[in-house]
Amino acid sequence: MKRRDFLKAAGTGALVASSATTVSARENLPVPEDAVGMLYDATLCIGCRACVVKCKEINGAPPETVEGEEHWDMAQELSADTLTIIQAFNADTGPDIPNLADGTFSFSKRQCMHCVDPGCVTVCPVSAMQKHPTTGIVSHDPDVCIGCRYCVLACPYNVPKYEYDETFGQIQKCQLCNQPGVERIDNGQITGCTEVCPTGANIFGPRKELLAEAKRRAELKEGDTYTYPLQSIDSTYRYETQVKADYQQHIFGEKEGGGTQVLVVAGTPITNLGLPELPERSYAANSETVQHTIYGGMLAPAGLLAGLLYLARRNTKGDDKDE
């Protein structure tokens, strides 16, 4: 094919694309009416890491190895064997553990945030990543996964982890203790990490009730007296204590990236606790809008294909005449 003919064919495709019907921008997905989640309150966390140990127990994950010794609670970062961690942060400057001696620090819990509009679900080419339409839990099906690891790249929280050290590695992430074989939520239980939290720093419940609780706490000032629930938002186990610090007027997960079902409140700027600054519009909404604009009605690819087929047929006829 001559270069001029190719450009003509490409131009035809571009012309069809430019005449395609305009596609409306995709909005963020709404929060499922019965979405469940967790509320992590950094002002209550004492760094005991009981949640880390319980998570490993439920998921059958091995302990981390530090200098040749096994430690159940010493994980420094999320991995395929550690699906939730407690990290310590300097309250003023962010992660800087050696400076924690000045006393200005806060703990932070990390795990899958269970995004309302998850990018990992959008990019998965085989629907191995799915968001439950009722609970909103983002789950992973290893029997469907092809190991492309697009979900790893698409997650703004760097959560899905691949088992690179396994011959047939899989993606691992928190599934709110509702994965096949565990199914704590389906059976009316709560997540393991909230069940064992001794201070109520991490509680389970419907997202809308957790968000209301987070907003109540955001109004509290240091020294106020408040009654905190243990384990879940509707728990009968509660205790009264004084608020340890003024809460930030920022509920992480209410709006970030289209919202998450794991919410975070703290007495220090939350962006100092290892959580990213994200726009309110989800990355999934942006990417799907671009894709639907380019491929809307498949007119552009179809136009380009038709042009190339026409040129190929014309060249074939020319060859027949020469013979």
Side-chain angles (χ1 to χ4, degrees):
M1 179 187 300
K2 295 180 180 179
R3 179 173 178 271
R4 178 178 297 177
D5 293 336
F6 176 80
L7 292 176
K8 285 181 179 178
T12 302
L15 180 62
V16 173
S18 63
S19 62
T21 304
T22 301
V23 177
S24 299
R26 205 267 264 165
E27 300 296 329
N28 291 342
L29 295 181
V31 180
E33 181 62 24
D34 296 319
V36 297
M38 297 190 295
L39 171 61
Y40 174 73
D41 187 336
T43 72
L44 297 177
C45 184
I46 58 175
C48 68
R49 295 180 173 83
C51 54
V52 178
V53 176
K54 187 66 176 180
C55 179
K56 282 183 172 290
E57 176 187 322
I58 290 176
N59 288 282
E64 299 293 331
T65 302
V66 179
E67 296 180 351
E69 297 184 358
E70 293 185 345
H71 296 267
W72 283 92
D73 58 353
M74 292 298 289
Q76 300 296 311
E77 187 50 83
L78 293 175
S79 71
D81 292 329
T82 302
L83 309 185
T84 189
I85 55 170
I86 295 292
Q87 294 177 315
F89 288 89
N90 183 292
D92 296 325
T93 59
D96 194 356
I97 292 177
N99 290 336
L100 295 182
D102 63 2
T104 56
F105 69 91
S106 175
F107 292 107
S108 179
K109 184 175 186 293
R110 290 188 56 213
Q111 73 286 303
C112 176
M113 301 297 283
H114 295 274
C115 298
V116 174
D117 195 353
C120 61
V121 172
T122 296
V123 301
C124 183
V126 294
S127 298
M129 284 284 186
Q130 293 199 350
K131 185 172 182 64
H132 195 279
T134 303
T135 65
I137 295 173
V138 178
S139 61
H140 173 255
D141 186 346
D143 293 333
V144 176
C145 181
I146 58 175
C148 67
R149 301 186 287 279
Y150 287 169
C151 55
V152 176
L153 299 175
C155 178
Y157 303 102
N158 193 26
V159 166
K161 299 298 180 184
Y162 186 75
E163 296 172 326
Y164 288 100
D165 56 344
E166 299 288 340
T167 303
F168 300 102
Q170 298 179 356
I171 290 291
Q172 298 290 348
K173 64 177 280 298
C174 161
Q175 301 185 72
L176 277 188
C177 291
N178 209 40
Q179 60 271 33
V182 178
E183 293 132 348
R184 291 175 66 100
I185 309 306
D186 288 348
N187 291 324
Q189 297 176 281
I190 62 176
T191 57
C193 58
T194 55
E195 182 182 79
V196 298
C197 183
T199 63
N202 195 35
I203 59 174
F204 178 83
R207 184 187 185 269
K208 55 186 175 185
E209 293 183 27
L210 295 174
L211 181 58
E213 173 71 7
K215 290 181 177 179
R216 286 192 291 271
R217 295 187 188 186
E219 299 299 320
L220 298 174
K221 301 297 181 184
E222 182 178 359
D224 288 349
T225 300
Y226 193 70
T227 302
Y228 292 96
L230 295 171
Q231 298 182 330
S232 65
I233 188 67
D234 60 351
S235 173
T236 56
Y237 299 107
R238 295 171 179 266
Y239 70 102
E240 188 176 275
T241 188
Q242 287 188 320
V243 175
K244 296 180 176 60
D246 293 345
Y247 281 95
Q248 295 287 310
Q249 301 302 301
H250 178 196
I251 301 169
F252 191 93
E254 180 182 12
K255 298 178 180 178
E256 280 82 2
T260 61
Q261 292 178 213
V262 174
L263 305 172
V264 179
V265 293
T268 62
I270 294 179
T271 50
N272 281 352
L273 301 181
L275 292 168
E277 295 185 50
L278 298 175
E280 292 186 16
R281 183 170 169 76
S282 73
Y283 292 146
N286 282 330
S287 64
E288 286 192 23
T289 296
V290 172
Q291 291 171 13
H292 295 170
T293 300
I294 294 175
Y295 295 103
M298 294 300 290
L299 289 177
L304 179 60
L305 177 62
L308 293 174
L309 289 175
Y310 166 75
L311 291 174
R313 179 176 174 77
R314 192 179 70 176
N315 290 341
T316 301
K317 286 183 175 180
D319 292 342
D320 292 342
K321 290 179 180 179
D322 293 340
E323 291 176 358

